[in-house]
Amino acid sequence: MKMKLIDPVVRSFKVAKVFRENTDKINAIDFSPNGEHLISCSEDDQIVIYDCEKGTQSRTVNSKKYGVDLIHFTHANNTAIHSSTKVDDTIRYLSLHDNKYLRYFPGHTKKVISLCISPVEDTFLSGSLDKTLRLWDLRSPNCQGLMHLSGRPVAAYDPEGLIFAAGVNSESIKLYDLRSFDKGPFVTFKLNQEKECDWTGLKFSRDGKTILISTNGSIIRLVDAFHGTPLQTFTGYPNNKGVAIEASFSPDSQFIFSGSTDGRVHVWNADTGYKVCVLNGDHPGPVQCVQFNPKYMLLASACTNMAFWLPVSDEGL
């Protein structure tokens, strides 16, 4: 029987496993497209790979020289891309199975703050504090496309991999067609500029209808992906430290999950904006990363520890 995500199921989630592999905060996590693995990177320069089926930690890879942030699986389970926190702002393409770099992607001159991989092909997007957005192909070290923007960019592909969205200067979303991005955006949505915080992430819902905007304040926004209309504003979770807290959709696009600086996971209904619950997993520090597994009924949240959450099926379900 396949369990469906409904309010009582979401409220029943409990921490099933805690991993304490890291000595510093985990700054990015990513599930493999098939849901079988989770990869994380931390400010202690470690990359940790977890087996989601077994609920075990399967490997640790160090990136002491360059540091590591914004890690993402590519379409092969044994390779990943990540940005760097030391030496330079080059993006690196890593073979996880023998811990060797397959390729370097130089070009950005300031910190990379956004990195996302196409859902359908071996291309990826990077956004940097140098106010550029770059399009890359994993097979070539040369940038395939370069967009100069008016402010700090965050980017995301739509689920079909046909268009991408660039959030610019925490006030506008520009949509580009990947086949003709050099012609500029085909539509720009102007939103009210955030006064108290910056946009730190964009995500399309899996049905492609909405875009979720994460910030480094205590506000998350949901907008219509076709018209840019504001749909929901999610608040009421603490972020008093200016942390770039990740917000994520459930795979069915019905729920929004967010970390917080109080170590808990906050959950809202995406359609109504109603807060469904606050999940307490005894995280000792701010929860910066929260994602839902694309295939399994599994939630991951991370501070310095990594927690795997499962629904408790005996709560009257």
Side-chain angles (χ1 to χ4, degrees):
M1 185 187 106
K2 209 165 173 214
M3 199 184 264
K4 197 167 158 18
L5 263 191
I6 49 174
D7 288 12
V9 174
V10 173
R11 289 192 194 107
S12 83
F13 268 78
K14 298 276 185 290
V15 173
K17 198 85 188 264
V18 178
F19 302 92
R20 298 181 175 86
E21 312 300 325
N22 295 104
T23 57
D24 209 332
K25 75 171 178 185
I26 294 167
N27 47 26
I29 64 175
D30 187 45
F31 281 105
S32 61
N34 63 10
E36 288 170 13
H37 296 93
L38 176 72
I39 195 165
S40 73
C41 61
S42 161
E43 294 187 1
D44 62 14
D45 306 329
Q46 282 196 101
I47 297 166
V48 183
I49 302 142
Y50 301 89
D51 184 315
C52 297
E53 286 183 300
K54 297 188 182 126
T56 55
Q57 181 232 335
S58 53
R59 308 216 37 216
T60 299
V61 174
N62 286 311
S63 176
K64 296 283 181 214
K65 185 175 175 186
Y66 303 113
V68 55
D69 197 359
L70 303 177
I71 197 148
H72 283 278
F73 278 113
T74 63
H75 295 289
N77 259 352
N78 56 353
T79 58
I81 54 169
H82 68 79
S83 64
S84 314
T85 56
K86 304 173 188 173
V87 185
D88 59 22
D89 299 293
T90 296
I91 296 158
R92 294 180 160 83
Y93 180 22
L94 178 66
S95 165
L96 298 165
H97 114 98
D98 53 6
N99 195 14
K100 288 199 168 64
Y101 285 110
L102 302 172
R103 193 160 284 119
Y104 297 98
F105 303 96
H108 284 300
T109 55
K110 288 188 177 168
K111 183 179 164 74
V112 175
I113 54 168
S114 187
L115 196 59
C116 51
I117 201 136
S118 162
V120 294
E121 55 191 11
D122 285 334
T123 62
F124 66 94
L125 281 164
S126 61
S128 157
L129 290 176
D130 63 16
K131 299 184 183 175
T132 66
L133 200 59
R134 288 171 182 261
L135 182 66
W136 309 86
D137 189 306
L138 282 174
R139 293 161 298 199
S140 163
N142 304 319
C143 161
Q144 308 292 301
L146 175 61
M147 286 135 279
H148 291 276
L149 302 162
S150 59
R152 55 179 285 152
V154 285
Y157 285 92
D158 83 315
E160 269 82 54
L162 297 173
I163 65 168
F164 65 88
V168 184
N169 223 20
S170 307
E171 63 177 345
S172 60
I173 295 177
K174 297 173 184 290
L175 298 184
Y176 294 82
D177 187 316
L178 270 155
R179 290 155 302 192
S180 56
F181 62 85
D182 46 344
K183 296 190 174 76
F186 62 86
V187 68
T188 298
F189 306 137
K190 195 94 166 96
L191 284 82
N192 291 332
Q193 186 167 25
E194 300 299 343
K195 299 271 189 291
E196 310 290 315
C197 57
D198 296 312
W199 292 356
T200 51
L202 288 188
K203 287 181 186 177
F204 276 88
S205 57
R206 198 181 256 194
D207 60 14
K209 292 178 181 170
T210 57
I211 297 172
L212 189 65
I213 304 169
S214 307
T215 72
N216 58 6
S218 45
I219 194 160
I220 300 160
R221 300 199 184 277
L222 187 70
V223 299
D224 183 286
F226 302 107
H227 309 291
T229 342
L231 299 173
Q232 299 293 348
T233 299
F234 307 106
T235 56
Y237 64 98
N239 182 6
N240 48 15
K241 298 183 170 73
V243 179
I245 286 178
E246 180 174 37
S248 295
F249 289 100
S250 55
D252 62 5
S253 313
Q254 298 301 305
F255 296 94
I256 307 293
F257 296 83
S258 167
S260 66
T261 51
D262 69 2
R264 299 187 295 176
V265 174
H266 295 246
V267 191
W268 297 266
N269 181 300
D271 292 335
T272 62
Y274 173 76
K275 187 174 257 190
V276 177
C277 60
V278 180
L279 299 169
N280 190 0
D282 296 321
H283 274 292
V287 176
Q288 189 171 341
C289 306
V290 180
Q291 283 183 30
F292 208 100
N293 189 301
K295 295 283 193 277
Y296 299 104
M297 191 67 90
L298 169 73
L299 180 71
S301 61
C303 58
T304 46
N305 299 342
M306 170 70 73
F308 280 11
W309 304 70
L310 295 170
V312 180
S313 53
D314 57 8
E315 296 204 357
L317 300 177

